[in-house]
Amino acid sequence: MIKEIILPDLGEGIDGAEVSDVTVSVGDVVGSDDIILVLESDKASMEIPADVNGSITEILVSAGDELKPGHILMKIELSGDAPKEKVPVEEKPQKEKPTPEIETIETIETIETIETIETIETKRHLEDLSFGNTVFASPGVRRLARELGINLQVIKGTGQKNRITKNDLNNYIKLQMAISSGSIPAQKQDVDFSQWGEVEVQKLTRIKRITGQRLQQAWQTIPHVTQFDNADITDLDNYRKKLKTKAAEQDIKVTFLPFLMKAVTIVLKEMPEFNSSLDHADQNLVLKNYYHLGIAVDTPFGLTVPVVKDVDQKSIIDLSSELMDLSSRARQKKLKPDEIKGGTFTISSLGGIGGTGFSPIVNPPEVAIMGVSKSDWKQVYDKATGEFHPRFIMPFSLSYDHRVIDGASAAAFTSRFASALCDLSYFKN
Ligand code: CAO
């Protein structure tokens, strides 16, 4: 029996990937775990297994092809054990959101047919002020342009005698909306920097290009606020040192990160809106009862965010060893698609590098992200004794989507997180 091998769903936010290597040829006999294809997506290089046993009869893709989930990759003559048929995951049809574009068209129609209540004097004054005599446009077009603060002189008319039609205005509005939402980049001028000195041109990696687009979109569409705070991790540092020495015997490196992850899940359980997403229409909050943390990893190809699942159910040692594995495979582009999806909250730690604070960008569809900076010894005043004591202080920040989270909740979150780091009982099992 001949079966088609189909590209599975590649994970959250990945709607396509490029074939970087086809690792089999027609006639090859493969097992279900054998890799038949290597893809490069925005976040990682992904190895696609055959998923069935058999002999390849036809290869329908080649290096350089851009693929989307559902694409037929190869045909295979099945053999041996019955294939592990996977139930295809059907994409739920996205409900159409009324787009501002449609609303704009309706507004234009309405304005053209309904008399406004502006006085004639006001109209005349505004028309003289804004548009002068060189622009030809109907009163309806002028009125809408005036309401939206659009100077008609910047629009090229396509009607008779260069008259600006309703369509011209409409197209101009659509273009401006696309530019401001980031879907069309504003036109940039190519600058010849070599006129001022020697230059070198480096091609951006695919991960950098796509991450850049996603960051820009997140920055433009999410109203960000960042809350800064400090945590006293003196006792935690002592405890970590002991655990680190013990874990080193098993070749496991215990850094601060697993403790931070554990403490974050404690606070997420207490404040569930931080572990949520807005639905597609921005009308409902989807609260998640699982705690999968994305961890930003710096790789030679750019930023990658593998996801550690069910952090609340894992020990510090389990988390440490999982972090070592995920960050090392991220740096070799060896993450699997399901290892970079399903995150509910992200931590970006620059604590091993330096800095006193930064404001990370929320990783959609999540609504909050924590940024961790390098801890340092500080003299802290003890009100009870009236003395200063050296304490190990970790600066951290929380950027959040202000549509979902209020400033007061964010301040409560960071305070609670700081206090959780002082309670070592959370980390002892
Ligand atoms: N304060 C003081 N020391 C810290 C610290 C902190 N907040 N965080 C880490 N350290 C220490 C570690 O404990 C370790 O020291 P020891 O060897 O004595 O234990 C050292 O710094 C190096 O840690 P690390 O960076 O190797 O390990 P980590 O678990 O802290 O982080 C990883 C792992 C993968 C997150 C990190 O290597 C990385 O890639 N960070 C960059 C993430 C990034 O680029 N974010 C920016 C994204 S833009 O928003």
Side-chain angles (χ1 to χ4, degrees):
M1 179 190 160
I2 302 271
K3 183 184 187 300
E4 290 173 342
I5 303 180
I6 288 172
L7 184 64
D9 181 20
L10 296 174
E12 206 166 74
I14 307 177
D15 49 13
E18 189 179 306
V19 179
S20 63
D21 197 9
V22 180
T23 55
V24 289
S25 311
V26 170
D28 283 359
V29 175
V30 293
S32 61
D33 290 335
D34 289 341
I35 303 305
I36 54 167
L37 211 62
V38 182
L39 300 181
E40 194 180 338
S41 82
D42 55 343
K43 294 288 178 195
S45 164
M46 295 171 287
E47 293 176 333
I48 306 296
D51 254 352
V52 287
N53 302 324
S55 158
I56 305 287
T57 56
E58 204 176 336
I59 296 178
L60 302 163
V61 292
S62 49
D65 286 358
E66 279 283 343
L67 307 183
K68 289 194 181 306
H71 197 110
I72 302 171
L73 307 173
M74 299 182 190
K75 292 188 181 170
I76 186 166
E77 172 85 56
L78 296 176
S79 67
D81 300 335
K84 293 184 280 175
E85 282 285 355
K86 280 193 176 167
V87 182
V89 185
E90 278 200 16
E91 289 256 299
K92 279 191 193 152
Q94 291 263 320
K95 271 193 199 160
E96 281 280 316
K97 226 185 349 177
T99 62
E101 178 189 316
I102 292 165
E103 284 170 9
T104 307
I105 294 166
E106 281 168 359
T107 317
I108 295 173
E109 311 289 0
T110 317
I111 283 170
E112 288 221 322
T113 49
I114 298 173
E115 261 304 304
T116 69
I117 53 166
E118 285 173 296
T119 62
I120 291 167
E121 283 76 13
T122 313
K123 278 194 220 166
R124 241 186 241 143
H125 172 68
L126 285 171
E127 285 190 8
D128 291 348
L129 200 69
S130 309
F131 305 121
N133 298 324
T134 50
V135 170
F136 293 98
S138 72
V141 169
R142 284 178 183 278
R143 216 170 299 144
L144 180 62
R146 195 165 54 234
E147 283 185 12
L148 297 177
I150 295 169
N151 181 353
L152 285 178
Q153 278 167 326
V154 301
I155 301 178
K156 193 167 184 294
T158 59
Q160 269 195 352
K161 290 194 196 166
N162 299 332
R163 189 179 190 82
I164 296 170
T165 64
K166 188 173 70 179
N167 255 350
D168 295 332
L169 180 59
N170 208 12
N171 288 338
Y172 176 81
I173 293 167
K174 278 196 266 183
L175 182 69
Q176 294 306 313
M177 284 168 63
I179 289 173
S180 64
S181 73
S183 53
I184 296 181
Q187 278 200 343
K188 287 190 202 160
Q189 257 194 322
D190 207 9
V191 179
D192 177 14
F193 294 101
S194 68
Q195 60 186 303
W196 297 293
E198 201 186 327
V199 295
E200 187 191 333
V201 177
Q202 273 181 1
K203 195 168 167 46
L204 288 179
T205 62
R206 187 178 153 84
I207 290 182
K208 275 213 162 150
R209 275 185 283 128
I210 297 174
T211 305
Q213 283 166 12
R214 283 170 63 89
L215 287 172
Q216 184 180 24
Q217 201 180 13
W219 184 249
Q220 285 177 324
T221 55
I222 298 173
H224 278 76
V225 181
T226 303
Q227 171 78 14
F228 293 89
D229 213 334
N230 288 314
D232 182 337
I233 58 165
T234 317
D235 298 340
L236 179 65
D237 186 38
N238 290 330
Y239 177 65
R240 181 189 78 96
K241 279 184 188 138
K242 285 186 208 146
L243 202 61
K244 188 183 154 187
T245 316
K246 225 167 112 191
E249 292 164 13
Q250 304 165 55
D251 283 335
I252 296 175
K253 188 180 158 196
V254 179
T255 63
F256 287 106
L257 200 47
F259 296 93
L260 309 184
M261 293 164 71
K262 205 79 189 158
V264 158
T265 60
I266 285 156
V267 190
L268 289 177
K269 282 187 177 180
E270 293 170 3
M271 304 180 76
E273 76 267 28
F274 287 83
N275 201 51
S276 73
S277 291
L278 279 166
D279 71 0
H280 75 281
D282 295 345
Q283 296 296 310
N284 299 293
L285 209 52
V286 182
L287 303 163
K288 298 157 202 169
N289 292 331
Y290 52 87
Y291 304 90
H292 300 344
L293 299 193
I295 303 297
V297 177
D298 183 33
T299 80
F301 323 99
L303 188 63
T304 306
V305 188
V307 174
V308 182
K309 307 256 165 64
D310 298 316
V311 171
D312 57 321
Q313 293 165 34
K314 293 178 179 163
S315 70
I316 296 294
I317 296 292
D318 290 343
L319 292 172
S320 301
S321 100
E322 199 169 333
L323 274 174
M324 284 168 67
D325 171 49
L326 283 175
S327 56
S328 132
R329 283 191 293 114
R331 288 180 175 127
Q332 299 166 55
K333 285 194 177 179
K334 290 236 165 94
L335 292 172
K336 298 188 193 110
D338 71 337
E339 290 174 320
I340 51 171
K341 65 179 176 181
T344 58
F345 182 99
T346 294
I347 301 182
S348 175
S349 173
L350 295 175
I353 305 170
T356 54
F358 67 104
S359 43
I361 297 179
V362 171
N363 185 17
E366 298 163 22
V367 295
I369 179 169
M370 179 171 284
V372 180
S373 297
K374 194 172 172 60
S375 315
D376 206 356
W377 288 96
K378 306 257 182 216
Q379 288 294 343
V380 176
Y381 182 68
D382 182 346
K383 217 164 135 189
T385 61
E387 291 169 355
F388 281 93
H389 297 287
R391 305 294 295 176
F392 201 41
I393 305 295
M394 186 190 79
F396 68 98
S397 58
L398 180 85
S399 293
Y400 56 92
D401 184 336
H402 209 348
R403 292 171 300 176
V404 177
I405 292 159
D406 296 331
S409 302
F413 186 101
T414 60
S415 300
R416 176 67 186 109
F417 173 73
S419 76
L421 288 177
C422 296
D423 185 347
L424 300 185
S425 67
Y426 287 133
F427 310 118
K428 293 197 169 162
N429 49 31

